Amino acid sequence: MPLRPPVREHLLPLMDGLLHEFSSLHRLSGCDDAELAAHRMVSLLQEQGLDARLMHCPLYLSDPLAGSLELSGKPGWRCEAKTRSFSAHCPQGVEGLAFYDAEACAPRSDLQWKAWAQNVKGKIVIAGQGFEDYVQRLCAAGALGLIHIWGSAESALHEETVGPVWGTPEPDDFLRYPRLPVISVNQQGGQRLLAELQNNPRMTVKMATQLNYHVAECSMPVVDIPGSSPEFVLLSSHYDSWHEGVTDNATGNALCLAMAIHFYQQRETLLRGLRIIWWPGHSNARYGGSTWYADRYRQQLKQHCVAHINVDSPGCLDAVNVVLNASGSESHAFLNAAVEAVTGEPALRITALGKGGDQSFWGCGLPLHFAFREVPQEKTTQSPGSGGGWWWHTEADTYDKVDLNILWRDTQIHAHWLEVLLTQPVLPLDPLAYLDSLQHSLRELITVISPEFDLAPVAEKLRELQPELEKLTTRWMADPLVWQAQLKRVIADLHRLRYSSVDDFHYDLSYRGGAFPGFQELASARENTSPEMWLMMTTRFWRQRDRALALIENADAICRS
């Protein structure tokens, strides 16, 4: 029996009320406003009859406070700047010759990086990118600092992070945090800076950063709506934000609130339970909250959780087009059915999940991982969030950037997905399409890495897996309740292969992404690589190749068992 659809007149006022409350709170994890927001979320759920609670997790936080930029010898020259979370705290400032890395966004070979390192050593680098891997290279090269020029034309300055560690660091991870200050300027300020450099190639600049590094106990709102079986679906959204962060991510918090109330009211009909968690530490702890939860509840997730849906930035102004990020194991018919039921059209596109969105569960054996995204008709900014809005991660992410009609559209789509997952015994899996996509990604990878790194054995193992997976899929389709657990275990190993390069209990660095991340660093020709780097790449190849083979062999054994 189908569930009742969500009722706009009941739920949207509650969602809008939460947006208004959160629109006056600066919810950076570890601060009073964030704690107030977490307590308020639990109160709202309890007022609706749900058994909500607060969990508490200690997180390592990096709060960016201030950044500044000056030109030596030009006391009147100023440019607005911000520092980055996990930049070095350097309030006294550093001063040095400026160097413009005009090709910062272009790929480089190992030998080109070595030449580059000599150019940036002892300099303050100006560049059109500020990603974590670039900052890591600057640190290793002995650069003094980084001035990142934002690539699109909006004047607003965006908050971001240069922390390479996913979640709270272990002792060895701690050494990876940047030892140089990083600031960001907008495109207009960057062009003024480059004009000064063109007039004076020996220009000296001074930059300073202030950050608050600290450990804080952060609240994590959780609500469980049990089903008749021990299985459950995890729905999540981060409640921390830069500034008011209404579209990133108060709208996601409101959507999850609505789903909690909607499915609680029909809890007697649920086969699977619904667990909803509002994460802290997304922004200034680099997914610290979701990682802490995975570390503490790994076995429970592995045994009982069938899906993770992450909700980040729905309901944004002008974000009329629906796009989906999915792991690849999901049936596209299932994903699009929800979108078509609400909008009349399928999603604009379905693409693989990237590095972000509190996807901290690749080692937990969950078969389904997907997330809703939305974009405007025409994107004019580099902003990757807030529905492609220029206000992402800025002080301008305020209530006026919400479209309640779009937010309700997005809420209905999630309700459709959840109804299937919570009430239907058969999971919407498409294992053969997933295997096909893995084989396609591997073929693409083979064309860009050195032929000396022979991935043919991995490709062959994937081909050998196909007939066995076809047999298991056929058995599952004929009798899903008998074979579904086995199929989930196979897909879990394929996720480990596709999305991680480490064991189940550790996390890849934040910039290690793409299909088969363990092989991504091997895209370099031997003649363009130093002997020492070639040796290291070769070592990585053998270890990652054998890991990949072991995962595929294990998946094959599960199919045959």
Side-chain angles (χ1 to χ4, degrees):
M1 179 179 174
L3 301 184
R4 298 187 305 275
V7 179
R8 178 179 178 128
E9 292 75 18
H10 172 52
L11 293 175
L12 194 58
L14 294 171
M15 298 167 72
D16 194 32
L18 180 74
L19 296 180
H20 279 286
E21 289 194 55
F22 278 21
S23 68
S24 63
L25 300 176
H26 291 235
R27 303 181 307 283
L28 196 61
S29 289
C31 76
D32 291 343
D33 274 5
E35 290 301 300
L36 181 61
H39 283 81
R40 184 60 184 138
M41 179 64 68
V42 169
S43 296
L44 285 170
L45 291 162
Q46 291 174 344
E47 288 168 10
Q48 296 296 318
L50 287 92
D51 184 18
R53 66 192 189 279
L54 281 179
M55 301 180 71
H56 301 280
C57 57
L59 297 178
Y60 180 58
L61 306 170
S62 173
D63 306 340
L65 302 178
S68 64
L69 174 63
E70 301 173 14
L71 300 188
S72 302
K74 288 200 170 186
W77 194 93
R78 289 289 182 273
C79 180
E80 186 182 5
K82 282 187 173 182
T83 189
R84 296 290 196 226
S85 180
F86 291 108
S87 160
H89 174 61
C90 193
Q92 74 281 5
V94 295
E95 190 169 5
L97 286 173
F99 173 82
Y100 177 46
D101 184 4
E103 303 298 320
C105 297
R108 288 182 166 112
S109 69
D110 176 59
L111 293 181
Q112 289 172 324
W113 280 118
K114 282 187 173 295
W116 166 89
Q118 294 302 310
N119 290 329
V120 303
K121 184 177 182 179
K123 308 283 180 52
I124 293 178
V125 177
I126 306 168
Q129 73 129 306
F131 292 122
E132 308 95 290
D133 52 341
Y134 186 70
V135 174
Q136 293 285 294
R137 289 187 180 276
L138 287 170
C139 288
L144 294 180
L146 170 64
I147 303 167
H148 170 216
I149 300 175
W150 189 257
S152 49
E154 65 270 17
S155 60
L157 282 174
H158 302 269
E159 309 286 352
E160 253 294 9
T161 179
V162 290
V165 178
W166 192 281
T168 299
E170 296 184 16
D172 288 347
D173 294 325
F174 192 75
L175 301 175
R176 295 184 179 275
Y177 287 112
R179 301 176 302 281
L180 55 74
V182 179
I183 60 172
S184 177
V185 300
N186 63 24
Q187 196 174 90
Q188 297 89 339
Q191 292 307 312
R192 288 174 51 225
L193 180 64
L194 292 177
E196 294 284 350
L197 182 61
Q198 188 171 24
N199 291 331
N200 178 15
R202 299 287 297 173
M203 180 177 74
T204 300
V205 300
K206 182 176 181 180
M207 57 182 293
T209 55
Q210 296 180 49
L211 295 98
N212 178 28
Y213 280 86
H214 59 120
V215 173
E217 191 92 350
C218 298
S219 295
M220 180 185 292
V222 180
V223 65
D224 267 305
I225 304 167
S228 59
S229 81
E231 289 187 333
F232 66 91
V233 173
L234 175 61
L235 182 70
S236 76
S237 66
H238 70 90
Y239 75 87
D240 63 320
S241 69
W242 298 114
H243 313 292
E244 291 93 338
V246 179
T247 66
D248 188 10
N249 185 33
T251 50
N253 304 155
L255 190 155
C256 288
L257 172 70
M259 293 298 90
I261 296 167
H262 172 62
F263 287 103
Y264 175 74
Q265 291 171 343
Q266 304 178 78
R267 58 194 179 280
E268 296 85 0
T269 63
L270 303 184
L271 170 65
R272 295 186 181 94
L274 176 60
R275 179 171 300 173
I276 306 179
I277 306 181
W278 291 262
W279 307 121
H282 173 94
S283 302
N284 58 337
R286 204 66 201 251
Y287 318 119
S290 57
T291 306
W292 178 92
Y293 191 83
D295 288 339
R296 298 320 189 271
Y297 293 91
R298 192 175 311 276
Q299 290 307 310
Q300 188 180 114
L301 290 162
K302 187 174 182 178
Q303 292 169 15
H304 301 303
C305 187
V306 300
H308 173 223
I309 307 174
N310 183 250
V311 186
D312 201 340
S313 299
C316 298
L317 187 68
D318 298 328
V320 294
N321 290 321
V322 173
V323 296
L324 304 177
N325 298 148
S327 71
S329 65
E330 301 81 5
S331 159
H332 281 205
F334 156 74
L335 293 173
N336 272 323
V339 181
E340 291 175 342
V342 177
T343 69
E345 298 178 344
L348 185 65
R349 59 182 179 269
I350 301 174
T351 57
L353 287 161
K355 293 289 289 187
D358 282 290
Q359 294 296 338
S360 302
F361 304 100
W362 297 116
C364 296
L366 284 60
L368 298 165
H369 305 251
F370 59 96
F372 176 95
R373 295 289 183 266
E374 56 191 16
V375 293
Q377 292 280 19
E378 183 178 356
K379 197 166 184 290
T380 59
T381 172
Q382 279 190 343
S383 298
S386 291
W390 62 264
W391 56 86
W392 169 82
H393 282 198
T394 74
E395 293 90 339
D397 186 4
T398 46
Y399 179 82
D400 59 304
K401 307 307 188 301
V402 178
D403 186 316
L404 290 178
N405 289 323
I406 290 178
L407 180 57
W408 185 249
R409 175 201 69 181
D410 303 344
T411 302
Q412 291 176 288
I413 291 170
H414 281 80
H416 277 276
W417 284 328
L418 286 167
E419 179 173 349
V420 173
L421 293 172
L422 297 176
T423 65
Q424 299 303 310
V426 183
L427 292 172
L429 301 168
D430 194 342
L432 296 176
Y434 188 27
L435 180 59
D436 184 67
S437 74
L438 288 175
Q439 292 174 309
H440 176 75
S441 295
L442 187 63
R443 287 193 295 269
E444 288 186 334
L445 188 60
I446 288 172
T447 66
V448 298
I449 70 171
S450 170
E452 295 184 55
F453 299 129
D454 184 10
L455 295 182
V458 179
E460 180 59 28
K461 282 291 182 185
L462 283 175
R463 283 193 294 271
E464 291 174 1
L465 177 63
Q466 184 157 349
E468 298 306 320
L469 185 57
E470 287 174 353
K471 293 175 189 175
L472 177 58
T473 302
T474 300
R475 293 194 293 266
W476 167 68
M477 292 174 69
D479 197 347
L481 296 184
V482 171
W483 297 102
Q484 189 155 271
Q486 199 165 325
L487 187 60
K488 288 188 323 189
R489 290 168 58 207
V490 173
I491 290 173
D493 273 341
L494 296 182
H495 284 335
R496 294 177 177 101
L497 177 68
R498 166 63 174 80
Y499 285 98
S500 72
S501 68
V502 294
D503 62 46
D504 285 0
F505 310 99
H506 293 86
Y507 303 88
D508 280 300
L509 297 173
S510 61
Y511 52 84
R512 293 257 167 85
F516 307 96
F519 297 128
Q520 290 288 334
E521 290 183 292
L522 306 181
S524 182
R526 187 166 189 162
E527 61 269 21
N528 296 324
T529 307
S530 66
E532 58 269 27
M533 178 55 70
W534 188 259
L535 175 61
M536 289 182 269
M537 290 167 61
T538 302
T539 302
R540 184 170 185 84
F541 162 70
W542 286 107
R543 292 173 181 173
Q544 288 296 319
R545 194 204 70 160
D546 285 354
R547 175 182 180 271
L549 292 174
L551 285 167
I552 301 169
E553 288 167 0
N554 191 59
D556 186 85
I558 295 169
C559 287
R560 294 171 185 269
S561 63

